[in-house]
């Protein structure tokens, strides 16, 4: 489905929604980078800290000379730490954005001239087949950043199942279930960067799909749904009005929302159970000092 088809279908349902993968246009990616530096958004720092602290044991688990498949464009500091420690025979970044892939491949190629980089443009919110790339040794899938949290547990199960057929081992970064107040702050930062990130989706629709969203008529709303163990992000209409996208027209009642993201949180045991149900053994667990974030080492 294209951006247009997903948006039209999502806004036509009783609970309006837009898939979170569309947050990441150029402006959205820049806003996300700013989120990662916010004092309230502990995830990025906690994952980087645990990666630094456990780098040699993580690299040992993956195995030197493996073929590393990363879901996400892999421009991050932790990816570069891992590549340096692991010296994979090949690196396959998988991302929906061709431009993000190109930029990551160019930059990593400069930093690691010895590394074979094989970028793959694909939408990993659905199961993807990573084509076989010669016998490069063990394949290890790296899925950092709690991106798996954007999937429902059912989708995460399906994703892990497909990955199991492709990679002997997986490294999955998962945000840990915790005090709802801490979670609330992380998605309601005081500088309003998360709000801008959420609202940018409407701007993107205006620019790319000829929409006429008035951004002043929507507010960022994020809360922790503890029964479902997920942060939900919404864009709430502040007044009753209609919006056009091309020839389509969508009505908003006051207080009606567009659900833009789920960000699931897992207890350590909860994620192990999910991985086991998908055919993995949870072999290793690394966490930061405060136990905010987890990296699970799974074996098929
Ligand atoms: C990139 C999906 C892990 O869910 O925390 C950050 C995206 N949304 N602030 C997350 C996000 C709002 C982020 N993930």
């Amino acid at each position: 489905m294209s951006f247009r088809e997903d948006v039209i279908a999502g806004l036509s349902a009783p609970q309006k929604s837009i898939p979170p993968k569309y947050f990441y246009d150029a402006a959205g990616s820049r806003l996300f980078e700013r989120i990662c530096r916010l004092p309230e958004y502990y995830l990025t720092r906690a994952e980087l800290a645990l990666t630094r602290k456990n780098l040699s044991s993580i690299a040992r688990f993956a195995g030197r000379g493996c073929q590393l498949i990363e879901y996400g464009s892999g421009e991050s500091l932790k990816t570069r730490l891992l590549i340096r420690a692991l010296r994979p025979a090949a690196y396959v970044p998988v991302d929906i954005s061709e431009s993000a892939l190109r930029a990551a491949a160019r930059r990593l190629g400069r930093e690691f001239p010895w590394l074979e980089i094989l970028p793959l443009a694909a939408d990993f919110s659905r199961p993807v087949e990573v084509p076989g790339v010669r016998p490069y040794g063990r394949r290890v899938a790296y899925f950092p950043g709690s991106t798996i949290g954007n999937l429902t547990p059912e989708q995460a199960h399906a994703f892990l199942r497909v990955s199991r057929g492709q990679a002997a081992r997986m490294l999955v970064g998962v945000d840990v279930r915790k005090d709802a107040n801490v979670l609330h702050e992380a998605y309601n930062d005081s500088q309003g960067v998360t709000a801008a990130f959420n609202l940018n989706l409407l701007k993107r629709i205006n620019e790319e799909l000829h929409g006429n969203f008035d951004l002043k008529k929507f507010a960022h709303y994020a809360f922790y749904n503890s029964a479902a163990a997920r942060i939900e992000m919404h864009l709430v209409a502040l007044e009753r009005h209609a919006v056009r996208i091309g020839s389509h027209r969508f009505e908003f009642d006051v207080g009606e929302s567009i659900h833009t993201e789920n960000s699931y949180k897992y207890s350590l045991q909860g994620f192990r159970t999910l991985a086991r149900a998908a055919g993995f053994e949870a072999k290793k667990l690394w966490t930061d000092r405060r136990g905010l974030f987890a990296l699970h080492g799974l074996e098929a």
Side-chain angles (χ1 to χ4, degrees), residues 97-158:
S97 156
E98 298 245 12
S99 63
L101 271 174
R102 256 198 307 277
R106 210 178 313 120
R107 189 166 155 198
L108 289 172
R110 243 182 276 126
E111 196 171 341
F112 306 105
W114 47 267
L115 180 64
E116 178 146 14
I117 305 173
L118 306 157
L120 177 66
D123 172 7
F124 55 79
S125 65
R126 267 166 263 256
V128 282
E129 287 289 335
V130 177
V133 215
R134 299 197 286 280
Y136 273 125
R138 175 156 71 201
R139 288 170 139 205
V140 177
Y142 183 42
F143 198 20
S146 198
T147 308
I148 199 164
N150 276 171
L151 307 178
T152 65
E154 296 70 34
Q155 291 169 330
H157 174 99

Side-chain angles (χ1 to χ4, degrees), residues 5 26 50 67 118 138 146-147 150 182 201 216 218 247 262:
E5 288 167 331
L50 78 82
Q67 181 183 323
L118 306 157
R138 175 156 71 201
S146 198
T147 308
N150 276 171
V182 174
L201 200 47
K216 291 189 297 299
F218 287 88
S247 59
N262 286 321

Side-chain angles (χ1 to χ4, degrees), residues 24 32 35 41 43 145-147 150 187 194 197 233 261 263:
Y24 304 93
F32 180 64
I35 288 176
Y41 196 76
L43 290 81
S146 198
T147 308
N150 276 171
Y187 293 84
T194 310
F197 173 71
M233 293 217 308
E261 184 173 49
S263 187

